[in-house]
Amino acid sequence: MRPYSGEKLCSSCFCRSVENKVRAAIAKYDMLRFDDRIAVGVSGGKDSMSLLHILTRLERSFPQAELIAVTVDEGIRGYRDEALKIAEEGCKKLGVEHVIVSFKELFGYRLDELVERLHDKKKNGGGLTPCAYCGVLRRRALNSVARRCGATKLATAHNLDDEAQTVLLNILHGDPLRIARARPVSSATHSHFVCRIKPFCEVLEKETTLYAYLRKFEFQNIQCPYAPAALRNDIRTMLNRMEEKHPGIKYTVYRSAERLGSSIENAVKTERLRNCRICGEPTVNEMCQPCKMLLNLKSHKR
Ligand code: SF4
Ligand code: ZN
């Protein structure tokens, strides 16, 4: 593993080392073509702003490639508005086209409204956290907008910490086959899917954070009010503690999943994708997960 080198390098060498890690991951996983139109998911946080900066630098060497930033406004009062402004100004400074799409326009509800329904449902024995809804709907939103923009790739800022957390989450949710799907490059199995890439998959969160500070660009620094309720949050704390005691353990989890993923990939590939009977998006079941979730909440009598 290439070690975390933040303490040993001057700021410009450190930033270059992060950019080189991204270049290496792009080459290793064959993420990009010279003429890709790349939609970048930009939330306004440190990871996505760092990714946008790095991809903008890389794009200069590929004149036929294009970048377009996509921000999803989930509708989280007191949190997303600031992030939207930061993302908008950051894109303007970098000269990158910026598209904003909201849960309200795509799904008919702000996340805050869905959470209210969720709370009512919980009183009656319901179950999922706001992040479970948000994650599924945001993935759908990003894919729809990327497709609408004619993007050939969809880049997200998931870093090594996120990837290691996702491995453990999938196991704890009893869904180990998802490990095969959470690869640095998605294997697009339906014409409605835009191929998803994760150029930060081998970069630690503390590296993207330091990069953002050293490059001195603005990013949102507050946590989403719904984050503490998520299981991911507990896994993040646990992995951070373990990494401190056993440096390199996050990378080990990531590598183990990579090995496991190649072995179970065939089992996952045999799943036949069809079109959701409600929205027409690709799904393995008769109805896709976003439609199932929304219908479930709508059917709840308040
Ligand atoms: Fe959505 Fe959860 Fe992230 Fe907040 S923390 S933006 S609710 S996934
Ligand atoms: Zn659907």
Side-chain angles (χ1 to χ4, degrees), residues 249-266:
I249 205 148
K250 290 176 186 171
Y251 190 76
T252 307
V253 172
Y254 168 76
R255 280 291 297 140
S256 302
E258 209 172 34
R259 288 195 189 131
L260 209 58
S262 338
S263 328
I264 56 180
E265 210 171 23
N266 288 338

Side-chain angles (χ1 to χ4, degrees), residues 13-33:
C13 285
F14 172 78
C15 288
R16 264 205 305 278
S17 80
V18 173
E19 287 156 11
N20 286 339
K21 274 193 179 186
V22 172
R23 261 196 207 98
I26 289 173
K28 176 176 169 185
Y29 297 105
D30 199 15
M31 289 185 187
L32 291 172
R33 284 166 41 120

Side-chain angles (χ1 to χ4, degrees), residues 140 276-281 283 286-292:
R140 166 60 55 80
C276 167
R277 71 174 165 83
I278 308 278
C279 68
E281 292 289 329
T283 171
E286 200 190 331
M287 201 193 293
C288 72
Q289 191 66 0
C291 284
K292 224 182 271 173

